[in-house]
């Protein structure tokens, strides 16, 4: 069976993000299917496409004032489970749009200042 792979440029284009962001998110484990081939990085196309089609996936949404759940976890350097625990307490501003949870930049900043994220 011949596996197909995507290079980072193709992946970044598919996800509508910069190549640098795609590398960063793949290193953090947000984007699955990362494979090292010599000095280069490729992405297993089947794994990536299944990930994109997963209905439970919280997609990375580019906005000026809001971070998606996944983006906030990556920015804070914590697992999504830990982010869920931290945001369950009152005082953390969350925005619900189209059945997705977003965080304002200010609420992410407050979580960093609390010192509980590392």
């Amino acid at each position: 069976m011949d596996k197909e792979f995507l290079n980072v440029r193709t992946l970044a284009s598919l996800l509508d993000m910069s190549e640098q962001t795609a590398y960063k998110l793949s290193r953090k484990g947000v984007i699955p299917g990362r494979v090292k081939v010599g000095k280069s990085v490729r992405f297993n196309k089947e794994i990536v496409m299944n990930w994109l089609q997963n209905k439970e996936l919280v997609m990375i949404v580019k906005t000026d004032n809001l971070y998606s759940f996944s983006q906030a976890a990556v920015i804070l350097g914590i697992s999504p489970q830990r982010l869920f625990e931290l945001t369950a307490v009152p005082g953390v501003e969350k925005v619900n749009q189209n059945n997705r949870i977003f965080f304002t930049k200010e609420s992410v900043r407050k979580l960093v200042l609390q010192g509980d994220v590392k």
Side-chain angles (χ1 to χ4, degrees):
M1 177 193 263
D2 209 17
K3 291 186 179 180
E4 292 186 49
F5 293 91
L6 304 172
N7 63 30
V8 73
R9 178 173 289 155
T10 304
L11 177 72
S13 177
L14 181 67
L15 298 175
D16 190 27
M17 63 178 57
S18 71
E19 291 178 31
Q20 183 178 10
T21 300
Y23 273 123
K24 180 180 177 182
L25 293 176
S26 71
R27 281 192 304 270
K28 296 272 189 176
V30 175
I31 300 173
R34 183 175 196 251
V35 178
K36 288 279 283 181
V37 180
K39 292 184 178 184
S40 62
V41 175
R42 299 287 187 260
F43 297 87
N44 182 301
K45 184 177 180 180
E46 182 179 354
I47 292 172
V48 170
M49 297 312 283
N50 286 338
W51 175 70
L52 289 173
Q53 292 173 359
N54 183 349
K55 299 292 185 206
E56 297 174 12
L57 174 69
V58 178
M59 293 298 295
I60 299 165
V61 178
K62 295 164 76 173
T63 65
D64 290 333
N65 299 314
L66 299 174
Y67 292 116
S68 71
F69 198 88
S70 298
Q71 284 175 314
V74 169
I75 289 166
L76 295 170
I78 59 176
S79 70
Q81 177 62 34
R82 180 68 178 132
L83 179 59
F84 179 77
E85 292 167 1
L86 289 171
T87 58
V89 297
V92 177
E93 184 182 356
K94 296 175 277 242
V95 178
N96 191 339
Q97 290 181 356
N98 300 325
N99 293 325
R100 292 185 180 159
I101 298 173
F102 295 91
F103 301 92
T104 64
K105 289 184 179 183
E106 182 62 21
S107 64
V108 172
R109 187 181 75 76
K110 285 179 184 177
L111 286 171
V112 170
L113 293 176
Q114 285 177 0
D116 294 333
V117 296
K118 295 291 177 184

